[in-house]
Amino acid sequence: MIKDSRRIGDDDMTGWSAMAGTHRFTVPDDYYAQQLAEALASYGFAHVTARSSPSGGWVVIAVDDGPYAVDPIGHRTIEAVGRAAALIAQQYGGYPDGGSRFDVSGLPSERGSSDPIVCVNPGARPPMPNVVLVEPPPAATLALTPDHAEDAPIDLSGLDEIPWNELSHAHGDAEEIPGLIRALADPFGEWGETLDELFGDDLLHQGTCYSATAPALPFLTRLIVSGAVPARQRLDLYVWLLVAAGRRADGVLADADRATVAGRSPEPAAWSLDVHRAVGEQLPALVTRWELEPPAVRFVLAGLAALYPHHGRRIGDRISIMAEEFDGTQPGAYLRLAEALVHGRDQEALTAATGIVAWEDGLEPEWLDGTDVPAPVRAGHVLAEGALHALSSSQVGAGDS
């Protein structure tokens, strides 16, 4: 069983005895492919191949025999080996372009290949970095009380004035989007299923933004500020706003290696900049709700405020108070990071983000690499992604009546 992603869940690794994998790089042409393949073999990869790519350039694949432990330390170690190999690839005009992870039983017993470039170094192994994951701080209770929702109107004016049939989402044109937004406003509707279809399936499918994503976001704020939506559902809306806001940084970080090789600045993915701006336009209305929201919602709102410090500074002191309240816990670590970002303390934010990555195995250490990416973007991505981990591991809603 071979997996083509860099993050594999525990369920996907059931039955694995140990882990091996591949590191894949793209280079401009066959000359650089030959040079990189030889360099990676000399570095310690036992089998490296290269071939032309239908999308342009050449693909160089280094087989990493491992074995690596099937645990977070093993994942961090093989990823660190891949990052070291990526630095070598940069010297030959290359950048990382994926890879795979699989059980060591999937390693071929024979090393033949029909690829035009093959370099071997039998019995070799690349240098193994010393990776340490520290013990995480304890989780905490993030209450969803006190809360009050009333039978109040929800302003969805302008929804039908947007040309949804000219916009698109993950599965085609977006003409059904207004119906899904209206379904969220129905107190007797299927909230979870509707929200999952709207964002999980359509507007932010697998973290990708579309032309219809940004126009839909202001209506989440309309739902939040209406007073008609209970706290647990408001929390869902804040979470999707945080996910949307983080797409810009995710695209920039994903492009960082290509940009370094090309000698340009990293660029966000398509539509993610519009989405980021759309969320930012909601912040003035959302930060005024700090005193009205219960702790679980405030926690996510603090993360949003930190990504937009020009708006978020209005509640900077309140974030500091909450960070003190949850000091020493997982939510407290993210609140300290949010506090640093919202006050523009970039080095403090990077230090806080580095500390979180040392214990949160669901986060990628390479997000903190890349000097071409501004520090607030790198630290902010750790916050946007990691805060959701902390939210899922904390006891949310304790004390609900």
Side-chain angles (χ1 to χ4, degrees):
M1 178 174 59
I2 295 178
K3 297 291 181 180
D4 290 324
S5 65
R6 291 206 172 253
R7 277 290 167 187
I8 302 172
D10 292 340
D11 292 343
D12 295 316
M13 298 184 294
T14 302
W16 289 18
S17 59
M19 181 168 52
T22 63
H23 308 285
R24 175 185 171 116
F25 307 95
T26 294
V27 294
D29 54 37
D30 58 341
Y31 171 79
Y32 286 108
Q34 181 71 51
Q35 297 297 308
L36 176 57
E38 292 176 0
L40 291 174
S42 296
Y43 185 66
F45 292 104
H47 191 74
V48 186
T49 63
R51 61 180 179 269
S52 62
S53 171
S55 58
W58 277 59
V59 174
V60 179
I61 300 175
V63 178
D64 193 343
D65 292 357
Y68 298 93
V70 187
D71 60 17
I73 293 289
H75 277 286
R76 287 286 178 95
T77 305
I78 192 172
E79 289 164 5
V81 169
R83 290 198 301 276
L87 294 176
I88 297 173
Q90 283 184 11
Q91 302 173 31
Y92 302 94
Y95 55 84
D97 196 14
S100 62
R101 305 288 180 263
F102 48 87
D103 184 76
V104 291
S105 62
L107 288 167
S109 57
E110 299 292 334
R111 292 289 190 174
S113 174
S114 60
D115 289 336
I117 296 175
V118 179
C119 294
V120 297
N121 189 355
R125 184 177 185 182
M128 292 293 106
N130 182 28
V131 174
V132 178
L133 277 172
V134 304
E135 190 70 22
T141 296
L142 291 168
L144 276 169
T145 55
D147 180 49
H148 175 69
E150 57 189 19
D151 185 12
I154 299 174
D155 178 16
L156 297 180
S157 59
L159 183 61
D160 293 324
E161 296 174 11
I162 297 171
W164 296 104
N165 62 336
E166 298 176 13
L167 303 176
S168 64
H169 57 57
H171 306 293
D173 69 62
E175 60 183 357
E176 76 275 21
I177 296 301
L180 291 170
I181 292 174
R182 285 193 174 91
L184 289 178
D186 181 358
F188 304 105
E190 297 291 336
W191 174 268
E193 293 180 7
T194 301
L195 197 60
D196 284 346
E197 181 178 355
L198 180 61
F199 285 101
D201 291 342
D202 291 342
L203 296 177
L204 285 169
H205 181 62
Q206 295 183 345
T208 302
C209 299
Y210 303 89
S211 60
T213 309
L217 297 175
F219 296 99
L220 300 194
T221 300
R222 304 266 196 96
L223 288 162
I224 289 170
V225 303
S226 69
V229 179
R232 186 171 292 278
Q233 294 179 352
R234 292 200 308 276
L235 177 63
D236 291 339
L237 298 175
Y238 278 102
V239 163
W240 278 114
L241 287 170
L242 183 59
V243 171
R247 295 309 86 203
R248 181 196 65 158
D250 188 66
V252 167
L253 289 165
D255 186 52
D257 292 304
R258 296 172 186 250
T260 297
V261 170
R264 58 173 173 79
S265 298
E267 298 175 353
W271 302 110
S272 62
L273 190 57
D274 289 343
V275 168
H276 187 81
R277 288 171 178 160
V279 178
E281 291 169 357
Q282 311 311 305
L283 259 292
L286 295 175
V287 296
T288 62
R289 294 188 55 82
W290 180 271
E291 301 298 340
L292 302 173
E293 298 291 7
V297 176
R298 288 182 184 178
F299 174 71
V300 181
L301 180 53
L304 276 170
L307 299 185
Y308 302 90
H310 53 294
H311 295 308
R313 288 190 188 98
R314 293 175 56 185
I315 57 171
D317 291 343
R318 294 176 177 88
I319 293 173
S320 298
I321 293 171
M322 188 175 182
E324 184 66 29
E325 178 185 352
F326 284 89
D327 193 41
T329 68
Q330 291 183 33
Y334 289 102
L335 288 165
R336 290 296 186 194
L337 174 52
E339 177 187 22
L341 284 170
V342 84
H343 290 295
R345 301 195 291 262
D346 293 353
Q347 189 54 53
E348 182 181 329
L350 277 177
T351 300
T354 300
I356 289 170
V357 170
W359 53 260
E360 177 51 80
D361 67 276
L363 301 180
E364 303 279 3
E366 56 263 39
W367 291 344
L368 296 173
D369 299 336
T371 56
D372 291 338
V373 180
V377 174
R378 288 179 277 151
H381 194 55
V382 170
L383 173 61
E385 295 285 326
L388 303 181
H389 287 262
L391 195 64
S392 63
S393 64
S394 298
Q395 186 177 358
V396 175
D400 281 0
S401 58

